[in-house]
Amino acid sequence: MTLSLDHVTKDFGEGPVLKSVSVVFNPGEVACIVGPSGSGKSTLLRMLNRLETPDQGDVLVNGIPLKDTDKAIQQHRSQTGMVFQAFHLFNHLSVLDNCLLAPMTVLKQSKVEAKARALQALQEVDMIGYAHRYPANLSGGQKQRVAIARALSMTPQALLFDEPTSALDPEMVQEVLQAIRRVAAKKMTLVLVTHEMQFAAEIADRIIFMADGQIIEDRPGRSLLDDPMHPRTKQFLKSWLNGSVK
């Protein structure tokens, strides 16, 4: 799946968060978006899944503008999974049932079909042994891995991650990053907003640096980290190296 923004602007009332942003995410590509807080990274990501509506510009799927209808948007979301910072699991459902809900209600899969895929997804993130536990009995890292499995249970063509480790204690971060490594190996379209710069350098086909609602640099592999070109990028990376990125 190819996901694109074409001159997208978004203003929540206090000045534009995205300023005429155009970008293309290609099939099977792993793209990481980095930058300071408030730069528009999460808004860009939410725009790709139409959780936000552009004030100007278009969201395109496979080169075709996404129609602004409930049916078209729901169809798009059924093919484009999203993993949030705060997990958003249903606490009254078991791990397995959290993964079954969307395939059965949105995709209209039988319970047998949905369960087979859900168990496979839990296996992929090393959570198969927790299938019958409830979210309250899981650590933050385990909850996030379940959230990834839940997204994978929909067999998406693209998967979006919005700072999936930012709410975790440091010791839990690595287990989630390992799960994302496995997802990246599946070669679906993957867009990841993250502050984990070394991880981005490890897995990304390209790294995009955003600041002030704009894409400042869009570079292949880890070249953005090794040889930043724009002064704003250099300033950000210097702050990161000094441990003061915000």
Side-chain angles (χ1 to χ4, degrees):
M1 174 187 285
T2 301
L3 295 175
S4 313
L5 300 183
D6 182 22
H7 293 93
V8 166
T9 294
K10 183 65 180 180
D11 189 333
F12 293 105
E14 299 180 353
V17 178
L18 295 180
K19 303 174 183 177
S20 193
V21 170
S22 295
V23 63
V24 178
F25 298 101
N26 299 304
E29 178 180 64
V30 177
C32 289
I33 305 174
V34 302
S37 297
S39 59
K41 305 184 302 295
S42 292
T43 301
L44 185 156
L45 198 75
R46 291 171 63 84
M47 200 67 71
L48 292 173
N49 211 19
R50 273 304 308 271
L51 294 173
E52 302 293 350
T53 302
D55 294 328
Q56 297 177 15
D58 291 306
V59 179
L60 296 89
V61 182
N62 295 325
I64 300 172
L66 182 63
K67 292 181 180 178
D68 194 18
T69 65
D70 289 343
K71 182 177 180 180
I73 292 169
Q74 289 302 321
Q75 173 67 19
H76 174 53
R77 290 179 185 161
S78 73
Q79 299 173 338
T80 310
M82 189 155 182
V83 178
F84 300 89
Q85 298 178 35
F87 323 133
H88 295 314
L89 299 176
F90 293 104
N91 289 323
H92 67 289
L93 296 178
S94 69
V95 164
L96 179 59
D97 286 339
N98 265 278
C99 294
L100 290 177
L101 186 62
M104 292 178 64
T105 57
V106 177
L107 301 182
K108 307 302 181 184
Q109 292 181 353
S110 69
K111 186 171 184 178
V112 171
E113 183 181 7
K115 184 176 181 180
R117 179 67 190 106
L119 290 173
Q120 181 184 357
L122 288 168
Q123 181 72 52
E124 290 172 3
V125 298
D126 199 23
M127 287 296 292
I128 190 70
Y130 297 81
H132 299 293
R133 295 196 188 185
Y134 285 78
N137 298 318
L138 302 178
S139 70
Q142 290 168 339
K143 289 178 183 177
Q144 193 60 289
R145 283 188 282 158
V146 172
I148 295 171
R150 179 180 58 185
L152 291 174
S153 295
M154 291 287 287
T155 317
Q157 296 183 36
L159 195 52
L160 314 176
F161 291 86
D162 188 8
E163 299 192 20
T165 61
S166 64
L168 302 178
D169 293 333
E171 64 267 24
M172 298 177 185
V173 169
Q174 287 305 316
E175 64 187 64
V176 173
L177 295 182
Q178 183 58 34
I180 296 173
R181 286 185 184 94
R182 297 192 191 105
V183 175
K186 295 169 71 69
K187 295 300 182 183
M188 71 175 71
T189 307
L190 192 155
V191 185
L192 173 72
V193 170
T194 184
H195 287 297
E196 301 288 341
M197 301 291 289
Q198 291 289 4
F199 179 69
E202 173 192 336
I203 72 163
D205 297 309
R206 59 197 271 223
I207 299 178
I208 296 167
F209 173 68
M210 291 190 68
D212 303 318
Q214 297 176 302
I215 292 175
I216 306 299
E217 290 198 52
D218 184 348
R219 304 277 296 283
R222 59 171 297 134
S223 60
L224 183 140
L225 274 64
D226 293 336
D227 185 26
M229 299 176 66
H230 194 280
R232 185 66 183 88
T233 315
K234 293 177 182 179
Q235 177 188 352
F236 173 79
L237 292 175
K238 182 178 180 181
S239 297
W240 166 62
L241 288 171
N242 292 332
S244 59
V245 165
K246 294 182 180 180

